[in-house]
Amino acid sequence: MPGVSRAQIFDTQFSATIMNSNLSSMATYTRNTDQLKIERSRIEDSYSSHGRRPHWSGTRDASLFSVGADPRASVDAKRDFIASIRRTSGDRVADLIAADFDRRDVRAAFREIAGPYGLRSDDYGDVFTAYVIVMWMVANQAPAPTFDVVQAVNAQSHDVLARDGLREGRIERQLAAEGMMYELVAATYGRQEAERVGDVGTLNRMATLARRKFLRSNMDLTDMALGRDGMVRR
């Protein structure tokens, strides 16, 4: 995706209240080691077959995590994302990225990236999981985790979200979810392009900016590791 490799796109303030509170909750959760032990028996059957979704602790209300598909909200989400790029990186970069996303539907791009890991675009918890993992990869300049690790983080994410509650409606969740989709798709393709051409400087800047973004919610991605217990402190 031409233009998306520019590291400046990550120096944006994703100010949606729902995201800030969710990330802060995730950071608190990962600091409590007693909560980090996800029972292996609870998720083993789910991710071993790779085609089945995991079972969450407690009762999962699907409507709690549902993401709307209102075309007007999608227009607003894209407009807000491009506007944030325009503010931080100028018209040229914003226009290049806007043109890229005119040609590529963000939900389709998300499914291309996250679908192989069992994550869906219509589930807020799945989108949140994909966003956190992609930004962790960028911040740590690390390869993608395995399917079972992604599903462990996904179970953890849903537990955190269900515990803290998502009071916003489907449209509000759609705006936040699609905002995350735009950032993680741009991050993924930007990183791939920088790796392809060996642009170490861009990779380093992207890592710094991704870490800085999460520090705003008191989560240091470079202090985190991913494993079969989800996201844990090193």
Side-chain angles (χ1 to χ4, degrees), residues 26-39 42 152 156 224 227-234:
M26 190 70 165
T28 300
Y29 190 89
T30 57
R31 284 196 292 268
N32 187 335
T33 56
D34 291 336
Q35 291 178 296
L36 293 175
K37 296 298 181 183
I38 300 174
E39 297 177 12
R42 180 164 59 83
Q156 185 184 46
M224 302 296 176
R228 295 288 290 270
D229 290 326
M231 179 173 281
V232 300
R233 290 182 65 85
R234 298 184 193 276

Side-chain angles (χ1 to χ4, degrees), residues 138-199:
V138 171
N140 291 280
Q141 300 192 43
T146 59
F147 181 96
D148 58 334
V149 170
V150 171
Q151 286 299 330
V153 177
N154 200 28
Q156 185 184 46
S157 297
H158 279 81
D159 286 343
V160 170
L161 296 173
R163 182 196 65 193
D164 291 341
L166 294 172
R167 293 180 297 277
E168 290 78 0
R170 293 178 73 233
I171 294 299
E172 287 73 19
R173 286 195 298 276
Q174 179 182 345
L175 290 170
E178 291 191 4
M180 286 187 283
M181 288 183 210
Y182 277 110
E183 291 199 19
L184 77 86
V185 169
T188 298
Y189 286 106
R191 183 174 113 128
Q192 288 177 353
E193 176 64 14
E195 289 177 339
R196 185 184 69 81
V197 301
D199 188 347

